[in-house]
């Protein structure tokens, strides 16, 4: 199982098209997206709840996107400090939301030698509840730069690898993506790669349309089934 085409990550629903789910969905269609990835949890807590009413904002967005033929995946930023609680909130959110897939976003908090056991606890508990549900890992573009991250613990139990190929302050997205793929191909286990590129501002830097096109063309030349931003 894998995704095809172009996807986009949403962090805060209320800061995306002012929280108008139909506007979000219509824009996704205009952009030619095939799937959208929405943040559903942060650590051991649910995410994208209304800050005043605590109403869950995700279901309405899922319906709007699905009505337009898009797949919807949920993503979850994990810290590895409370692996059982983090797994439990993931299980709860997946049971509530009827999503098409789930992405684990593991970054700097996992870069210690003590987090391997936590990652294995998290993944074992998660997979015991959802043994065949499509899952992916989203983390750094070059594993050689981040050897302490528990790559194997995560990759053993996910279906897809979604590395973050962010070329901030650079202008070589194609070369960076090619290196990313080479490094992961040298690792065990290898999982199909669906990379995530830069479509955000950072300081005075922003990706150019030409760079975005180069990233997509590089993904196609590498025979990758999809790409995200």
């Amino acid at each position: 199982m894998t995704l095809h085409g172009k996807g986009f990550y949403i962090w805060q629903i209320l800061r995306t098209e002012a929280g108008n789910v139909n506007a979000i969905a219509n824009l996704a269609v205009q952009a030619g997206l095939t799937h959208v990835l929405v943040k559903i949890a942060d650590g051991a807590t649910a995410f994208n709840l209304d800050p005043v009413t605590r109403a869950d904002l995700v279901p309405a967005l899922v319906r709007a996107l699905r009505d337009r033929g898009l797949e919807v995946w949920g993503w979850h930023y994990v810290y590895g400090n409370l692996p059982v609680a983090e797994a439990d909130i993931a299980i709860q959110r997946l049971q509530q939301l009827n999503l098409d897939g789930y992405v684990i976003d593991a970054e700097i908090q996992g870069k210690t030698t003590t987090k391997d056991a936590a990652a294995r606890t998290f993944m074992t508990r998660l997979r015991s509840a959802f043994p065949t549900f499509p899952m992916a890992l989203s983390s750094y573009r070059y594993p050689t730069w981040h050897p302490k991250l528990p790559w194997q613990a995560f990759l053993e139990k996910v279906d897809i690898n979604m590395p973050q190929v962010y070329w901030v302050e650079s202008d070589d997205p194609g070369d960076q993506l090619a290196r990313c793929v080479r490094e992961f191909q040298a690792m065990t286990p290898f999982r199909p790669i669906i990379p995530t590129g830069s479509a955000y501002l950072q300081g005075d830097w922003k990706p150019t349309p030409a760079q975005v096109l180069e990233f997509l063309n590089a993904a196609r030349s590498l025979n990758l089934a999809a790409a995200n931003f």
Side-chain angles (χ1 to χ4, degrees):
M1 181 274 157
T2 192
L3 292 166
H4 296 273
K6 295 184 295 186
F8 199 89
Y9 279 82
I10 290 177
W11 172 34
Q12 297 180 36
I13 293 173
L14 289 177
R15 294 179 63 189
T16 309
E17 299 303 303
N20 184 321
V21 297
N22 288 312
I24 294 170
N26 288 338
L27 194 58
V29 171
Q30 291 171 27
L33 303 184
T34 56
H35 57 281
V36 172
L37 310 101
V38 183
K39 187 169 183 179
I40 60 170
D42 187 86
T45 61
F47 197 83
N48 269 315
L49 306 184
D50 187 287
V52 177
T53 67
R54 305 308 293 167
D56 192 348
L57 302 173
V58 178
L61 179 57
V62 172
R63 287 192 296 271
L65 292 165
R66 285 251 178 83
D67 285 347
R68 291 158 178 80
L70 280 76
E71 288 194 34
V72 188
W73 286 47
W75 64 275
H76 179 186
Y77 193 100
V78 300
Y79 298 83
N81 299 323
L82 300 168
V84 171
E86 289 188 332
D88 286 348
I89 194 63
I91 291 166
Q92 177 185 320
R93 296 296 273 157
L94 292 177
Q95 290 171 337
Q96 292 171 336
L97 298 170
N98 188 31
L99 300 168
D100 296 298
Y102 167 78
V103 181
I104 301 145
D105 184 357
E107 301 186 32
I108 191 169
Q109 291 81 9
K111 290 173 55 176
T112 72
T113 55
T114 62
K115 292 296 176 69
D116 186 80
R120 293 184 185 281
T121 296
F122 172 81
M123 292 304 305
T124 298
R125 192 172 183 89
L126 184 59
R127 274 302 188 196
S128 69
F130 291 93
T132 61
F133 192 70
M135 295 187 186
L137 172 67
S138 173
S139 194
Y140 298 105
R141 59 190 157 172
Y142 302 146
T144 56
W145 283 10
H146 308 279
K148 291 183 179 179
L149 194 100
W151 295 104
Q152 188 173 32
F154 287 120
L155 290 172
E156 282 176 348
K157 292 187 179 293
V158 300
D159 308 287
I160 299 171
N161 187 2
M162 294 183 174
Q164 301 163 8
V165 187
Y166 301 154
W167 62 90
V168 178
E169 304 294 350
S170 299
D171 59 0
D172 58 345
D175 290 342
Q176 291 195 28
L177 180 54
R179 175 180 171 180
C180 170
V181 171
R182 286 196 305 271
E183 290 202 10
F184 280 111
Q185 285 175 334
M187 290 180 62
T188 302
F190 176 77
R191 295 290 181 259
I193 291 175
I194 295 177
T196 302
S198 305
Y200 58 88
L201 310 179
Q202 184 159 316
D204 295 329
W205 181 88
K206 63 180 179 180
T208 66
Q211 290 169 0
V212 170
L213 186 59
E214 179 183 337
F215 179 79
L216 289 170
N217 286 336
R220 181 174 291 171
S221 70
L222 292 163
N223 295 315
L224 307 183
N228 301 319
F229 289 94

